[in-house]
Amino acid sequence: MIDQKRILVTGGAGFIGSHLCSKLIREGNDVLCVDNLYTGRKKNISELLKNVNFEYLRHDITFPLFIEVDEIYNLACPASPIHYQNDPVQTTKVNVHGAINMLGLAKRIKAKIFQASTSEVYGDPTVHPQLESYAGNVNCIGPRSCYDEGKRCAETLFFDYRRQHGLNIKVARIFNTYGPNMHPNDGRVVSNFIIQALKGMPITIYGDGSQTRSFCYIDDLIEAITLLMATPNDVTGPMNIGNPDEFQILELAERITELTGSRSEVVFQPLPMDDPKQRRPDITLARQTLNWQPKIKLKEGLEKTIQYFDNLLSRPG
C-alpha cells in the first residue's frame, strides 16, 4: 500500500495504546505493539491480532529494542496511582530508561517519535487553568513523584535529544482520559465510580469531593495525538491535550449514579498525599496548531464507558 507506515506503539496493549493501535490500523498502517502487560491487557488487542498488519511483541522497554520503523509512539508506563505506586522504582525506570531506549532507537533509525507526557508534570498546580509555560508545583520526594518526576525527566530527555541530535519529537501532556478498555482495577476516578455504581457498592470519594478534574473521552484524545504526530518538524510541543470542561468529583459521582440508575451511597475517605486540588488544561495551543478541540460531552462519553464496564462485568470469568 502506498504511504503505508511501519509504526511502533509502546504500551500498545494499554487503555490509550490499544485505541491508538486501532486507529493506526484503520488508516492502513503496519503496527508493531510492544507491551510487557504490567497494566496492559491482551484482551484490549484481541481483535487486532487477527489483522495481518498488526503484530504484538511482549517486551519491557527498560531494555533496548532493535527494530526498523518509521514512527514511534512512546506510551509505555503505568498511569494510575495504584499501579505506578505499586513499584515506584520500576515506574521511574520505564519513564527514564524507557525514554532513553526509545530515543536512542529513533536516533539510530531516524524515526519521528512521540512522547505521552502527562498533566501530572504540573503537580498540585497554583496556576489555573494550566498553560504549557507553567513550570508546575511538584513534590519531588512524595509518593507520586516516581510518575510526576519520571515524566518530567522524560520530557527533558526528549528536548535534549532534539537539541543535541536533531530528533523530530512530539510531546503531548495528556489530561484525565476515560473510555472503553480502561483497566477495571486501575483506581482511577471514572472506572472506580462506574464499577462501584454498577455493583451497588458505596462510591468512594477521597477528600470532600470539591476537587476538580477535566475528563476527555478517548476518541477525542486519539484524534489529537495523531494530529500532533502529523505536524511539521518545527512543532514539538509540549502541548496540552484534554477537555477544558471542569467538574467537581462529587458532581461526577452524582452523574454516574444517575446514568447507571444505581442506589449506591457516597462515602468519603481522606485525600491522598499530593493529590491535586484542581486540574484543567488550557488547550489554546492545540486549538491553534491542530485545529482541534474535544467533541464528545461528558454524558455521551460516560454512557459509552458505562456500557463497556457493564458488558465486562456481565461476562463469565
Side-chain angles (χ1 to χ4, degrees):
M1 179 182 292
I2 299 174
D3 295 331
Q4 184 185 55
K5 289 179 287 192
R6 173 82 166 151
I7 301 175
L8 166 64
V9 180
T10 73
F15 164 45
I16 293 175
S18 59
H19 285 275
L20 176 61
C21 287
S22 294
K23 179 176 173 61
L24 295 173
I25 287 291
R26 289 195 302 271
E27 292 175 347
N29 299 294
D30 193 26
V31 175
L32 172 60
C33 164
V34 167
D35 203 301
N36 68 352
L37 300 184
Y38 177 64
T39 57
R41 297 181 299 158
K42 272 191 176 178
K43 65 176 62 177
N44 286 345
I45 55 170
S46 58
E47 290 301 310
L48 293 174
L49 289 167
K50 303 171 186 176
N51 193 301
V52 294
N53 291 327
F54 181 81
E55 183 180 357
Y56 166 68
L57 173 66
R58 186 163 185 167
H59 178 80
D60 183 339
I61 66 162
T62 61
F63 298 94
L65 186 63
F66 300 98
I67 54 170
E68 301 293 328
V69 293
D70 303 304
E71 294 179 355
I72 301 167
Y73 286 86
N74 186 36
L75 277 62
C77 184
S80 70
I82 195 172
H83 287 144
Y84 67 65
Q85 291 176 16
N86 183 57
D87 190 345
V89 172
Q90 183 63 21
T91 298
T92 301
K93 280 184 177 180
V94 75
N95 278 316
V96 179
H97 293 183
I100 290 170
N101 286 331
M102 290 304 103
L103 287 162
L105 174 63
K107 175 190 169 188
R108 181 179 67 81
I109 61 178
K110 297 179 173 58
K112 185 192 307 184
I113 183 167
F114 170 92
Q115 168 66 7
S117 190
T118 171
S119 60
E120 295 291 335
V121 300
Y122 299 122
D124 187 6
T126 58
V127 171
H128 194 72
Q130 291 79 61
L131 279 160
E132 289 89 350
S133 58
Y134 175 51
N137 177 38
V138 175
N139 177 1
C140 66
I141 59 170
R144 301 171 71 99
S145 58
C146 59
Y147 186 70
D148 302 358
E149 295 287 37
K151 289 290 190 180
R152 284 160 71 96
C153 185
E155 286 195 16
T156 300
L157 286 163
F158 266 70
F159 281 89
D160 282 342
Y161 263 79
R162 178 172 177 81
R163 283 185 285 262
Q164 192 168 337
H165 302 295
L167 246 61
N168 187 355
I169 66 165
K170 312 291 177 183
V171 177
R173 290 175 177 166
I174 297 171
F175 282 67
N176 288 61
T177 304
Y178 69 101
N181 291 7
M182 293 183 81
H183 196 295
N185 301 316
D186 67 4
R188 296 193 206 188
V189 64
V190 172
S191 52
N192 259 13
F193 286 2
I194 290 175
I195 287 175
Q196 288 170 342
L198 289 173
K199 289 184 173 181
M201 299 165 58
I203 291 181
T204 308
I205 290 180
Y206 296 95
D208 63 5
S210 64
Q211 67 268 40
T212 66
R213 295 293 185 272
S214 303
F215 301 101
C216 184
Y217 188 68
I218 184 65
D219 291 357
D220 285 332
L221 176 83
I222 296 301
E223 180 190 16
I225 65 177
T226 52
L227 286 171
L228 176 57
M229 192 62 147
T231 54
N233 194 332
D234 61 342
V235 177
T236 61
M239 182 181 291
N240 289 338
I241 303 296
N243 193 318
D245 293 341
E246 188 176 11
F247 298 91
Q248 289 190 338
I249 295 300
L250 184 57
E251 182 183 355
L252 176 70
E254 291 169 349
R255 289 195 177 210
I256 287 173
T257 53
E258 180 183 345
L259 289 171
T260 56
S262 175
R263 296 183 178 180
S264 294
E265 296 182 352
V266 171
V267 295
F268 296 91
Q269 299 287 344
L271 194 67
M273 183 177 177
D274 297 329
D275 195 69
K277 292 179 285 295
Q278 53 187 8
R279 190 61 65 70
R280 178 189 172 201
D282 184 311
I283 62 167
T284 302
L285 182 61
R287 283 194 178 110
Q288 293 175 345
T289 307
L290 309 179
N291 192 28
W292 171 89
Q293 64 180 21
K295 301 182 182 72
I296 298 175
K297 296 298 182 183
L298 184 63
K299 181 176 183 292
E300 180 186 353
L302 286 177
E303 287 173 341
K304 294 180 179 182
T305 310
I306 288 166
Q307 186 63 57
Y308 167 77
F309 279 113
D310 194 27
N311 292 339
L312 192 68
L313 292 173
S314 64
R315 292 175 197 162

